[in-house]
Amino acid sequence: MSQYRLDHLEQLESEAIHILREVAGQFERPALLFSGGKDSITLVHLALKAFRPGKFPFPLVHIDTGHNFQEALDFRDALAARIGEKLIVRQVADTIRVHQLTEPKGKFASRNALQTFTLLDTISEFRFDACIGGARRDEEKARAKERIFSVRDEFGQWDPKLQRPELWSTYNGKIHKGENVRAFPISNWTELDIWNYIRRENIELPSIYFAHEREVLEHEGQLVAVSEFIQLEETDRVSIKKVRYRTVGDMTCTAAVESEAASVDEIINEIIATKTSERGETRIDDKVSEAAMEDRKKGGYF
Amino acid sequence: MDILRFITAGSVDDGKSTLIGRLLYDSKSIMIDQLEAIGRQTRNRQDGDIDLALLTDGLRAEREQGITIDVAYKYFSTPKRKFIIADAPGHIQYTRNMVTGASNADLVIILIDARHGVIEQTRRHAIIASLLRIPHVVVAVNKMDMAGYSQDVFNNILIDFAALAASLELKNINYIPISALDGDNIVERSVNIDWYDGDPLLSILENIEVQEDIDLNHARFPVQYVIRPQTEELHDYRGYAGKLVSGIYRVGDAVTILPSGQQSRISAIETGGREVQEAFAPQSIILHLEDDIDVGRGDLIVPSGDLPRLDQELDVFLCWMGTKPLTEGNKYLLQINSRTVKTVVRDIRFRLDVNTLEQQASPGTVQLNDIVRATIRTAAPIAFDDYASLRASGGAILIDETSNVTVGACMIQSQE
């Protein structure tokens, strides 16, 4: 009977497509939050499988902090053009100006927290009732407890104690006016699943995921790209290293890893051998406190 | 490589979190930075060694109170399998969490403290496993180190549990003596428990056959979404998108659309952008029908020769998950796969004591975590199967229309 057997990637793929179609079936105005990272690129690939030959029943939405890697932005625009789907971009800089928000200060001033304001404005501008995101439960322990359909109130807040029970593969997307649902089709994927799927499906990625030479600053054991967005001091040790990115976020809060991996195969080998978690190695913002993600999610973060 | 989804039933006192921590740790799924974070917390608590249980603690609210309030999902893999653990708390006030975690599980690990044997909590966990029809059970007798690694202790527990399992029709049971704290019989065979000649826990989890739990005999296809490009070149394209939750479909199969009862044949099947001759559960596919008929979200496409039940009256075991009580006559939305209908709960016949299986007649109001037998009347006919024979189309949720919260889980029972 082996011909009627799905392997783990096929099972995960089918589950994700099912969730994407539930969003399409249950909501009036969904959106797919697209960051330009490998997880949201994988989501777009899954959406193609879920809805082609039809159009996506949602636009791609990117909340641009203004601190993104140019490679990721170029990739985003090229991808949206290639698949012929609508891309909406909203700038954190505009939110800062309109609402007179205070820019964070410091060496690695990050607009990561301010993205939430722009996201909430964008949700109300387009009256989105569901936002599809590429978060995975293996990334972080607050995420390990979040539902696949996660209800947020009109301020985007997540209440971990008031989550709806989620049984079988039945997703309750009923909400009140003003609320929205964050839907996470790849909740059950791990970092390695994503890479194995990227390899199997030949999914194209921005070049920064592969080893390249870059001017970096060493800061508390992490490598941060030198850019106009961070403040260099005289004592800083800057050097050229061969690096790649394991995650792609802002240039101010995403660290690179030293690597020689030039292909997906080589990346997979490095991930299997690594001893540090994806977020631990590459996210500067998660180290701030034990409950950093829990707090940000409660406040409306992705 | 495939996937095994399992739930661990037990409490902190039984060493449940330690067991999960041990599986993650010994399968090398824990990264250095995560261990460092746990090391920091362990020092704060002045406990000495790294506390493996901390690996499974999630939210700050839980850490502060030292409890688990919700289902957390954990992931690890070996070269053979990817594992998804639903980590649910074991106390009676968290019955709904365990029911939630159990609904998707291929297997349940029921943890028993070797010093205490089969206790009330064990009965409750076995009863929930039986109600939710979890296909495989592993009874892990933990803390064998504190019971002198005694074979008699283990055998007595085995006899007690086997009697309980027989009364509940639990099947496919494995028994294993372990010490999660020391790692005995977790990944490697224990030298302390030399009288046990079975496999260690991880090997059992790696080798249990779960493929046969997917029913390939009864095709059920809930329509989620209709794909209609309406472009010039695809003017007549009309594809029904959904997941085949059970069974196999082939091009040419005669099908019936429920609840309408219209008949047609499958003219094409697509998956991942390719046309295929057949598809099987749990693939997500697009179906095309020969006839231009009215089919939409919420319809169930079934083989004309293998119809499910179509009714407005359901006899269910209902696990109540709402904080507001349920009383007879209350109205809710019932969602079964992609279909949602209005319902009224009638005739709550008895409450099941989840510790003893005793049936308490006429329970009146139903509280959070109660499990009752009731009749549900739907506003329109729905198609379904008995949960016991086809889990994929016999489970439904109840939604409170005013709060939108999921308040109940229904396991549809067969007609007697």
Side-chain angles (χ1 to χ4, degrees):
Chain A
M1 293 292 276
S2 65
Q3 59 178 342
Y4 299 122
R5 190 183 283 260
L6 296 183
D7 72 14
H8 73 294
L9 293 178
E10 292 166 332
Q11 286 183 47
L12 291 170
E13 177 191 68
S14 178
E15 179 183 76
I17 291 171
H18 176 254
I19 294 162
L20 285 166
R21 289 169 170 172
E22 278 305 289
V23 174
Q26 291 196 37
F27 296 92
E28 300 283 323
R29 304 172 73 89
L32 188 151
L33 300 177
F34 184 79
S35 71
K38 66 182 188 314
D39 295 331
S40 56
I41 291 168
T42 299
L43 272 187
V44 168
H45 185 84
L46 290 162
L48 289 168
K49 292 204 174 198
F51 301 110
R52 284 292 183 261
K55 294 288 263 184
F56 289 0
F58 39 72
L60 311 181
V61 172
H62 184 226
I63 305 302
D64 186 351
T65 59
H67 291 172
N68 286 284
F69 290 90
Q70 192 56 47
E71 295 91 332
L73 296 178
D74 294 344
F75 186 92
R76 172 197 75 189
D77 295 339
L79 176 66
R82 178 164 58 81
I83 63 175
E85 296 289 346
K86 186 176 177 190
L87 171 70
I88 295 168
V89 179
R90 286 295 175 268
Q91 302 289 342
V92 171
D94 293 337
T95 316
I96 292 173
R97 201 180 55 246
V98 170
H99 296 299
Q100 302 188 14
L101 304 178
T102 305
E103 279 264 24
K105 295 193 175 59
K107 188 173 182 61
F108 302 109
S110 167
R111 285 174 168 175
N112 190 286
L114 297 183
Q115 284 182 91
T116 304
F117 291 86
T118 313
L119 174 64
L120 296 179
D121 277 2
T122 310
I123 287 171
S124 58
E125 178 186 351
F126 294 95
R127 291 184 288 122
F128 291 134
D129 51 7
C131 297
I132 302 161
R136 309 189 320 263
R137 284 171 176 158
D138 80 319
E139 284 180 271
E140 205 281 330
K141 49 191 174 182
R143 288 189 166 162
K145 300 222 160 178
E146 191 162 14
R147 300 288 183 261
I148 287 174
F149 271 27
S150 181
V151 181
R152 304 298 181 91
D153 67 14
E154 59 183 310
F155 298 100
Q157 298 179 105
W158 178 58
D159 186 342
K161 287 188 178 174
L162 283 182
Q163 297 200 87
R164 297 174 179 175
E166 204 162 66
L167 293 106
W168 301 293
S169 46
T170 308
Y171 304 103
N172 171 6
K174 294 270 180 306
I175 49 171
H176 295 291
K177 208 171 159 54
E179 292 176 338
N180 65 84
V181 162
R182 306 289 166 86
F184 301 113
I186 55 170
S187 285
N188 287 324
W189 300 45
T190 62
E191 181 188 20
L192 197 55
D193 294 331
I194 292 282
W195 281 107
N196 279 319
Y197 188 72
I198 285 168
R199 171 163 64 183
R200 175 181 292 184
E201 298 285 314
N202 268 319
I203 299 173
E204 215 182 305
L205 292 179
S207 56
I208 55 173
Y209 278 107
F210 302 96
H212 58 284
E213 290 198 334
R214 186 178 283 273
E215 196 181 10
V216 290
L217 156 72
E218 277 190 70
H219 178 76
E220 293 177 5
Q222 293 188 308
L223 302 176
V224 186
V226 172
S227 71
E228 58 189 296
F229 310 121
I230 65 168
Q231 296 172 10
L232 283 180
E233 291 155 68
E234 280 180 19
T235 52
D236 284 338
R237 290 170 47 206
V238 172
S239 56
I240 305 240
K241 283 194 173 3
K242 197 151 190 195
V243 298
R244 66 177 171 86
Y245 283 87
R246 248 175 114 178
T247 64
V248 170
D250 282 2
M251 295 190 78
T252 55
C253 63
T254 312
V257 295
E258 283 200 80
S259 170
E260 294 288 331
S263 69
V264 173
D265 282 333
E266 288 166 2
I267 289 171
I268 288 173
N269 289 337
E270 284 193 5
I271 290 168
I272 291 170
T274 190
K275 298 276 187 286
T276 313
S277 79
E278 187 179 79
R279 293 197 80 88
E281 187 165 60
T282 65
R283 288 298 169 100
I284 296 168
D285 47 329
D286 277 2
K287 287 199 163 176
V288 179
S289 91
E290 187 60 33
M293 177 63 86
E294 185 179 342
D295 291 340
R296 275 182 294 149
K297 273 185 152 337
K298 283 178 180 169
Y301 192 72
F302 305 117
Chain B
M1 189 165 161
D2 61 0
I3 301 179
L4 180 85
R5 296 172 196 251
F6 68 93
I7 179 169
T8 46
S11 67
V12 176
D13 309 330
D14 309 319
K16 177 174 65 83
S17 302
T18 307
L19 172 67
I20 295 172
R22 173 62 67 187
L23 283 169
L24 298 175
Y25 188 76
D26 287 357
S27 64
K28 307 204 167 38
S29 306
I30 305 300
M31 301 295 182
I32 288 172
D33 56 308
Q34 293 166 325
L35 279 178
E36 277 172 0
I38 285 160
R40 276 200 299 276
Q41 290 175 62
T42 308
R43 275 198 295 282
N44 294 343
R45 287 187 183 183
Q46 297 180 331
D47 273 340
D49 282 342
I50 280 183
D51 184 353
L52 286 175
L54 285 174
L55 286 171
T56 63
D57 278 5
L59 308 174
R60 181 170 49 199
E62 297 167 294
R63 288 195 294 278
E64 283 166 1
Q65 295 164 44
I67 52 150
T68 317
I69 53 171
D70 203 28
V71 188
Y73 294 90
K74 297 282 164 191
Y75 303 83
F76 71 101
S77 57
T78 67
K80 282 196 170 167
R81 233 173 208 170
K82 172 186 169 87
F83 296 94
I84 303 178
I85 313 175
D87 178 17
H91 296 107
I92 191 155
Q93 66 267 36
Y94 301 116
T95 296
R96 69 165 171 171
N97 304 75
M98 187 179 158
V99 168
T100 301
S103 71
N104 284 318
D106 303 309
L107 179 147
V108 57
I109 297 178
I110 295 182
L111 266 174
I112 297 178
D113 186 326
R115 297 167 301 173
H116 304 138
V118 173
I119 55 173
E120 188 176 275
Q121 174 183 271
T122 318
R123 291 178 195 283
R124 184 169 68 248
H125 294 160
I127 288 166
I128 293 170
S130 161
L131 272 174
L132 272 292
R133 299 277 164 177
I134 302 178
H136 303 272
V137 180
V138 171
V139 177
V141 180
N142 192 23
K143 304 198 181 180
M144 288 300 293
D145 51 316
M146 293 165 117
Y149 305 107
S150 159
Q151 188 171 9
D152 286 346
V153 166
F154 178 74
N155 283 342
N156 286 334
I157 292 172
L158 191 154
I159 290 164
D160 286 353
F161 192 90
L164 174 65
S167 70
L168 294 170
E169 296 175 40
L170 283 178
K171 291 184 208 108
N172 308 320
I173 307 173
N174 277 275
Y175 297 89
I176 180 169
I178 62 168
S179 166
L181 196 63
D182 301 331
D184 286 280
N185 278 341
I186 304 297
V187 175
E188 305 288 341
R189 286 274 292 273
S190 165
V191 289
N192 296 314
I193 312 174
D194 52 3
W195 45 264
Y196 171 75
D197 57 7
D199 286 330
L201 180 61
L202 190 60
S203 306
I204 293 175
L205 297 177
E206 279 183 321
N207 293 314
I208 277 180
E209 179 58 63
V210 291
Q211 171 63 26
E212 62 204 29
D213 302 330
I214 297 171
D215 187 310
L216 292 177
N217 298 316
H218 306 283
R220 298 289 182 259
F221 183 80
V223 177
Q224 292 183 269
Y225 185 76
V226 182
I227 296 177
R228 285 198 309 163
Q230 292 175 310
T231 55
E232 209 141 297
E233 64 270 32
L234 292 168
H235 190 262
D236 296 324
Y237 185 101
R238 190 180 173 88
Y240 303 109
K243 187 171 76 175
L244 197 48
V245 296
S246 65
I248 299 170
Y249 267 139
R250 295 184 180 86
V251 172
D253 284 353
V255 294
T256 299
I257 291 84
L258 294 175
S260 73
Q262 300 170 94
Q263 309 222 345
S264 186
R265 278 182 190 278
I266 294 173
S267 58
I269 305 174
E270 286 177 79
T271 177
R274 290 178 302 120
E275 276 210 31
V276 291
Q277 285 305 302
E278 63 177 4
F280 55 94
Q283 283 184 313
S284 281
I285 57 173
I286 299 172
L287 276 191
H288 296 262
L289 300 180
E290 277 180 7
D291 306 281
D292 190 12
I293 49 181
D294 182 25
V295 180
R297 178 176 168 81
D299 287 335
L300 186 69
I301 300 182
V302 299
S304 293
D306 175 24
L307 300 179
R309 284 162 61 196
L310 184 70
D311 208 335
Q312 283 183 259
E313 203 128 284
L314 318 180
D315 178 14
V316 300
F317 267 117
L318 169 61
C319 175
W320 192 246
M321 301 180 157
T323 47
K324 289 184 283 182
L326 158 73
T327 41
E328 268 182 18
N330 283 9
K331 293 186 176 64
Y332 301 96
L333 292 174
L334 178 137
Q335 186 178 351
I336 178 164
N337 285 316
S338 60
R339 184 163 173 81
T340 304
V341 290
K342 284 182 188 276
T343 59
V344 54
V345 178
R346 283 190 184 159
D347 193 18
I348 302 170
R349 294 199 291 291
F350 62 84
R351 178 194 286 121
L352 189 72
D353 184 321
V354 287
N355 296 323
T356 64
L357 265 191
E358 187 198 335
Q359 299 180 1
Q360 300 156 344
S362 313
T365 59
V366 179
Q367 307 289 340
L368 175 67
N369 293 316
D370 280 352
I371 293 176
V372 296
R373 187 76 178 251
T375 302
I376 287 177
R377 171 96 187 153
T378 60
I382 63 163
F384 58 89
D385 290 276
D386 302 339
Y387 186 76
S389 54
L390 207 51
R391 221 177 159 194
S393 69
I397 60 170
L398 292 183
I399 300 166
D400 179 332
E401 246 185 307
T402 58
S403 68
N404 291 327
V405 172
T406 303
V407 290
C410 305
M411 282 70 71
I412 303 174
Q413 305 297 303
S414 61
Q415 282 167 315
E416 277 146 25

